């Protein structure tokens, strides 16, 4: 699995931990999922079974089963598409996140990964434009990259 996709998952799990910690009385571990579909996706992802992870996310999207983890799920889905060099699909996922006014931490990650999509697609100008739009909420693990 690519190093950047591991960083993507780490960022999603960190975001999940932060959201869980913000809920009064919540004592869940960072890996705890509030949506069953998200938990199943993480299971497949950690087993390195990308196709079942993608399939589960797509079904969960269609059924509206990601009420608590929709943005993180979209980041992971886009990352999985990138693993398979499906740049057009990955770009669409990240652009939809940006169009839907994702929270700042998710938005900055979406800009980062959209820049990667554009760069890997041979579009350095648009990649630089995307990098310029990243705010100050990018996880430290991605800042170094």
């Amino acid at each position: 699995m690519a190093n950047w996709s591991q960083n993507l998952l780490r960022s999603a799990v960190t975001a999940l931990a932060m959201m869980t910690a913000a809920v009064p009385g919540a004592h869940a571990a960072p890996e705890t999922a509030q949506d069953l579909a998200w938990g199943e996706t993480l299971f497949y992802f950690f087993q390195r079974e990308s196709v079942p992870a993608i399939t589960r996310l797509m079904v969960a999207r269609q059924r509206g089963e990601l009420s608590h983890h929709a943005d993180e799920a979209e980041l992971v889905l886009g990352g999985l598409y990138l693993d398979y060099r499906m740049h057009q699909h990955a770009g669409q996922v990240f652009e939809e996140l940006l169009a839907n006014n994702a929270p700042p931490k998710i938005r900055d990650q979406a800009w980062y990964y959209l820049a990667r999509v554009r760069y890997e697609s041979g579009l350095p100008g648009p990649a630089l434009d995307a990098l310029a739009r990243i705010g100050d909420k990018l996880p430290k693990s991605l800042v170094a990259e």
Side-chain angles (χ1 to χ4, degrees), residues 13-132:
V13 171
T14 300
L16 173 61
M18 289 172 40
M19 288 186 299
T20 302
V23 177
H27 302 288
E31 295 81 20
T32 300
Q34 292 177 308
D35 297 322
L36 179 61
W38 177 240
E40 290 173 2
T41 299
L42 290 177
F43 172 79
Y44 291 127
F45 189 91
F46 284 121
Q47 297 296 319
R48 295 188 174 162
E49 295 183 25
S50 298
V51 173
I54 291 171
T55 302
R56 186 63 186 109
L57 280 175
M58 292 176 69
V59 169
R61 285 166 98 197
Q62 187 69 28
R63 293 180 178 171
E65 297 175 339
L66 297 166
S67 60
H68 296 97
H69 307 288
D71 292 335
E72 296 93 338
E74 291 300 303
L75 280 175
V76 170
L77 180 61
L80 289 167
Y81 284 151
L82 272 175
D83 277 347
Y84 283 104
R85 302 282 187 216
M86 298 173 68
H87 294 102
Q88 183 177 4
H89 290 295
Q92 288 173 342
V93 168
F94 299 131
E95 287 172 0
E96 285 178 25
L97 268 172
L98 294 167
N100 292 332
N101 296 320
K105 185 171 183 170
I106 300 294
R107 181 198 62 225
D108 287 351
Q109 290 178 73
W111 278 119
Y112 171 80
Y113 288 108
L114 186 58
R116 288 195 69 115
V117 166
R118 291 174 176 174
Y119 179 78
E120 291 178 12
S121 297
L123 303 168
L128 286 173
D129 291 340
L131 286 174

